[in-house]
Amino acid sequence: MEPILTVSHLSKRFGSPTHGFVAVDDVSFTLREGEILGLLGPNGAGKTTTITMLLGLILPTAGDISYFGKPFGSHRQASLARINFASSYAQVQSKVTVRQNLLIYAGLYAVRDTSRRIAELLRLLEVEDTADQLFWKLSSGQKTRVILAKALINRPRLILLDEPTSSLDPDIAAKVIDIIKTLQKKEGVAILYTSHNMREVEEVCDRVMIMSHGKIVAEDTPLELTKKIGNARVTVTFDGPSEKVFSYLNAKQYRHRFPRGQVVAVDLPGKAIPKLLFGLANEGVWLTDIDIEKPGLEEVFLSITKGSYER
Amino acid sequence: MSANRIVYILLHTWYHFIHSMETWVDIFWNTTVNLLIFIFIAKLIAGGSAVGVEGAGLILGMVFWNAVWVGQYNVTIGALWEMWSKSFNTLFITPLTMEEFIVGQMISGALKSIIAVVISALVAYWLTGLSVITLGWMLPVYVFELLAFSWGIGLMVLALIMRLGTDAASLSWSLVFLVQPFGGVFYAVTVLPDALQKIAALFPSTYIFAAIRAQYLDGVLETGNTWRALGLDAVWILLGYIALRLALRQTLTSGAFARLSE
């Protein structure tokens, strides 16, 4: 399948070669039709600079960007006509109504059947009642949804979404996630997705890239990334004396600690959890509560920011 | 360049205009009040109800100055409104080009300028009997030449705002006033010191206002001045465009363009 977006050795240095800094350092990746790629990283990692280069708002120092197999630099307008972007920092004219704003953007993208498309999007994002209100008068949640409507107006083949659910109520955020998944599944839209909500990223993204200090330091499916983090934590509450538990864990060389009298926390690989629980039960330990914390993207993210992650 | 996208930029400026009291005040209220002041000063100088020759020169200057002021202001303020709304970048992640955006703002500015000049001319006629219609077929020529000059200044001011950011927004409504004392707007530039006359010779306005006064007050058609102004207009627009392209390139490289909407 032809990649919708191909990024090759993309770099951006700000300032002079001696006193400047490298914001994006030799980044390469592809994004295929119908794929949702998460772009994560701590503040200052280079995510925003990468996205702004992908949108043509910053010129790269080196590297190439291609959309639909054609270089972005020489096919800028044709590329921009087929992609779109939504972010809290790219708004629409505040002193114009929602409908008028969408009409303008529909015109700039040469959308056909404009009125119907606008009505459809306002209904989809549940902001029909804001249509004739000035944009600045909307709540931040309504603004986010109108920006999303703008991002969908041209039926893009690729959407760059930067924190698309920030400032949304949980029910509306869930609806937006559903819309994104539907676009991916039914229309094959590719999405480059950034968010600080790791659960959301795990739920939505097929693949995740994590940036740190301008470089891609990890890239895989959310599941594979979390596997590399390793241990789960099992917290067991039990009845009876703790000596039996202590001696069993020591004998099996499990890393553990007793946070409270009859509670023990054990760090171990996920696949060893059943063995631990059966082992304790066979020793005659009466387990009254079991809590299992498996590592998620949050832990991957934290281990990267602490520098303890290995590719 | 897409005519369709230019039309949508025009529609965008119209939608903004109908919701923006500030723009109404800046364009129509301020220009009319300034004209009223000049009319009453002209009457005071003439010592009666008529404005006299010097007074007519002042009033003609103010009526036609509005074409320069509104035209220039619209090119720059059109971009500033987008920056203040955090929507400037949003426009340029569509297929819209900077040239299409600018042409849209120029046309919008021209329409507002013409309305401002018409209102000013009507007020001047009502209070003094001074009729710009007597300029005949040269009237649209003068207005077009002044508009072209305003576009050149507007492009340069926009280039400066891009380089300096929205902190330099005040240039949008202040820089053009540098032209007023040296650009022959209210008086012949022969009253200026020699060094300043050399600066005045660089402004198209010097020749246009001289031509307007010569035709209106003396009945002389100064086609030479009109052609000189047209040539200088082309130079100003070209220089403004080059400045804007350089500023755009620099801000796209430095990352400042992406921050214009922050």
Side-chain angles (χ1 to χ4, degrees):
Chain A
M1 206 187 303
E2 180 74 21
I4 281 185
L5 168 64
T6 307
V7 175
S8 308
H9 305 293
L10 191 68
S11 296
K12 180 64 191 179
R13 168 183 278 279
F14 290 113
S16 68
T18 48
H19 295 96
F21 75 99
V22 178
V24 175
D25 190 1
D26 197 24
V27 164
S28 298
F29 64 93
T30 57
L31 182 54
R32 295 181 185 282
E33 188 177 309
E35 186 181 26
I36 303 185
L37 173 62
L39 181 60
L40 306 180
N43 291 336
K47 303 186 302 287
T48 303
T49 305
T50 302
I51 288 175
T52 43
M53 281 193 283
L54 295 180
L55 293 167
L57 299 174
I58 292 181
L59 293 175
T61 310
D64 298 305
I65 299 166
S66 296
Y67 287 104
F68 313 100
K70 290 176 180 165
F72 183 37
S74 54
H75 295 79
R76 184 189 160 88
Q77 283 168 285
S79 302
L80 290 173
R82 297 172 72 189
I83 69 173
N84 214 316
F85 174 60
S87 160
S88 57
Y89 57 81
Q91 305 215 334
V92 292
Q93 175 53 250
S94 59
K95 281 178 169 276
V96 169
T97 70
V98 169
R99 192 191 306 279
Q100 289 166 343
N101 262 306
L102 292 176
L103 187 66
I104 296 304
Y105 282 94
L108 294 177
Y109 283 110
V111 173
R112 289 180 185 171
D113 205 359
T114 308
S115 303
R116 206 168 117 190
R117 181 69 179 151
I118 290 170
E120 186 182 289
L121 289 171
L122 292 176
R123 194 167 50 248
L124 181 71
L125 291 153
E126 296 181 10
V127 278
E128 300 128 295
D129 54 334
T130 67
D132 297 314
Q133 288 182 38
L134 296 177
F135 183 74
W136 71 267
K137 289 187 176 175
L138 306 185
S139 69
S140 57
Q142 288 171 324
K143 283 181 180 171
T144 303
R145 282 181 279 164
V146 170
I147 297 296
L148 277 168
K150 189 280 303 174
L152 300 176
I153 194 103
N154 59 328
R155 296 182 178 85
R157 302 307 304 150
L158 165 65
I159 313 176
L160 294 91
L161 296 174
D162 193 358
E163 301 278 353
T165 57
S166 66
S167 75
L168 293 181
D169 292 333
D171 58 329
I172 299 292
K175 189 168 173 54
V176 167
I177 296 291
D178 281 346
I179 293 168
I180 291 167
K181 284 178 171 174
T182 308
L183 283 170
Q184 177 205 21
K185 285 191 182 117
K186 289 195 176 164
E187 298 180 32
V189 174
I191 294 166
L192 184 65
Y193 195 97
T194 77
S195 173
H196 283 103
N197 185 333
M198 298 297 159
R199 283 191 177 193
E200 194 177 284
V201 171
E202 275 183 282
E203 184 190 344
V204 171
C205 297
D206 302 308
R207 197 157 52 95
V208 172
M209 285 188 320
I210 301 184
M211 288 186 79
S212 180
H213 299 99
K215 288 179 180 291
I216 294 175
V217 292
E219 181 182 358
D220 216 322
T221 62
L223 186 65
E224 289 302 317
L225 281 175
T226 52
K227 274 186 188 169
K228 289 177 189 168
I229 280 291
N231 288 348
R233 167 161 294 178
V234 180
T235 306
V236 176
T237 309
F238 54 90
D239 266 351
S242 57
E243 286 76 13
K244 209 185 273 181
V245 175
F246 184 75
S247 58
Y248 175 78
L249 295 176
N250 277 344
K252 298 290 179 187
Q253 295 185 320
Y254 285 124
R255 264 180 59 198
H256 65 277
R257 65 188 182 90
F258 285 86
R260 294 189 296 280
Q262 287 171 309
V263 177
V264 65
V266 187
D267 291 333
L268 74 175
K271 60 185 177 187
I273 295 172
K275 199 175 162 189
L276 166 76
L277 298 177
F278 280 116
L280 284 171
N282 288 339
E283 289 293 315
V285 178
W286 186 253
L287 308 179
T288 58
D289 189 35
I290 301 162
D291 182 32
I292 300 171
E293 288 174 58
K294 284 193 172 175
L297 269 183
E298 186 89 41
E299 283 71 30
V300 177
F301 187 84
L302 289 172
S303 71
I304 282 169
T305 53
K306 287 177 190 162
S308 61
Y309 184 84
E310 290 175 18
R311 289 189 91 166
Chain B
M1 199 175 289
S2 156
N4 184 59
R5 288 194 290 269
I6 293 171
V7 167
Y8 276 97
I9 287 299
L10 272 172
L11 188 62
H12 189 35
T13 61
W14 169 249
Y15 285 152
H16 182 267
F17 182 61
I18 56 177
H19 295 296
S20 171
M21 181 58 80
E22 299 95 321
T23 313
W24 283 84
V25 169
D26 281 344
I27 293 177
F28 302 125
W29 175 260
N30 290 349
T31 50
T32 308
V33 170
N34 284 338
L35 178 68
L36 286 175
I37 293 168
F38 270 70
I39 288 172
F40 296 128
I41 288 174
K43 287 191 173 186
L44 179 74
I45 293 169
S49 58
V51 290
V53 174
E54 288 78 10
L58 277 179
I59 294 163
L60 282 172
M62 200 63 221
V63 167
F64 286 101
W65 171 253
N66 286 337
V68 181
W69 151 244
V70 174
Q72 180 279 153
Y73 174 81
N74 199 80
V75 169
T76 46
I77 206 77
L80 277 169
W81 278 117
E82 300 303 329
M83 292 175 196
W84 289 326
S85 283
K86 298 185 178 181
S87 56
F88 194 61
N89 287 346
T90 316
L91 285 172
F92 293 104
I93 56 174
T94 72
L96 180 73
T97 64
M98 182 58 76
E99 283 75 8
E100 289 160 356
F101 177 78
I102 295 296
V103 170
Q105 299 300 336
M106 283 175 168
I107 296 171
S108 158
L111 296 172
K112 289 171 194 162
S113 286
I114 290 166
I115 295 170
V117 169
V118 167
I119 292 172
S120 301
L122 288 173
V123 171
Y125 179 72
W126 174 48
L127 291 174
T128 67
L130 185 153
S131 172
V132 296
I133 297 295
T134 58
L135 293 170
W137 59 269
M138 283 303 287
L139 176 60
V141 175
Y142 295 138
V143 172
F144 172 77
E145 289 193 331
L146 290 169
L147 273 173
F149 181 39
S150 79
W151 293 336
I153 303 171
L155 289 172
M156 287 184 189
V157 174
L158 189 55
L160 278 171
I161 290 172
M162 278 203 186
R163 283 298 302 263
L164 305 172
T166 49
D167 288 346
S170 60
L171 294 176
S172 177
W173 46 88
S174 61
L175 202 68
V176 68
F177 284 100
L178 269 179
V179 174
Q180 257 192 356
F182 314 118
V185 179
F186 301 113
Y187 40 77
V189 293
T190 48
V191 300
L192 298 173
D194 285 348
L196 291 179
Q197 282 189 42
K198 288 187 177 112
I199 294 172
L202 302 173
F203 294 134
S205 58
T206 301
Y207 307 99
I208 305 165
F209 283 104
I212 291 171
R213 281 190 294 269
Q215 188 184 348
Y216 191 88
L217 301 175
D218 307 322
V220 179
L221 197 60
E222 290 189 342
T223 47
N225 273 339
T226 316
W227 284 111
R228 265 187 286 276
L230 201 61
L232 276 173
D233 277 341
V235 172
W236 275 79
I237 289 175
L238 182 67
L239 290 176
Y241 181 68
I242 290 169
L244 185 70
R245 288 305 309 183
L246 289 173
L248 185 62
R249 180 86 196 168
Q250 195 275 335
T251 52
L252 284 170
T253 304
S254 69
F257 189 83
R259 292 193 300 272
L260 283 171
S261 287
E262 286 177 0

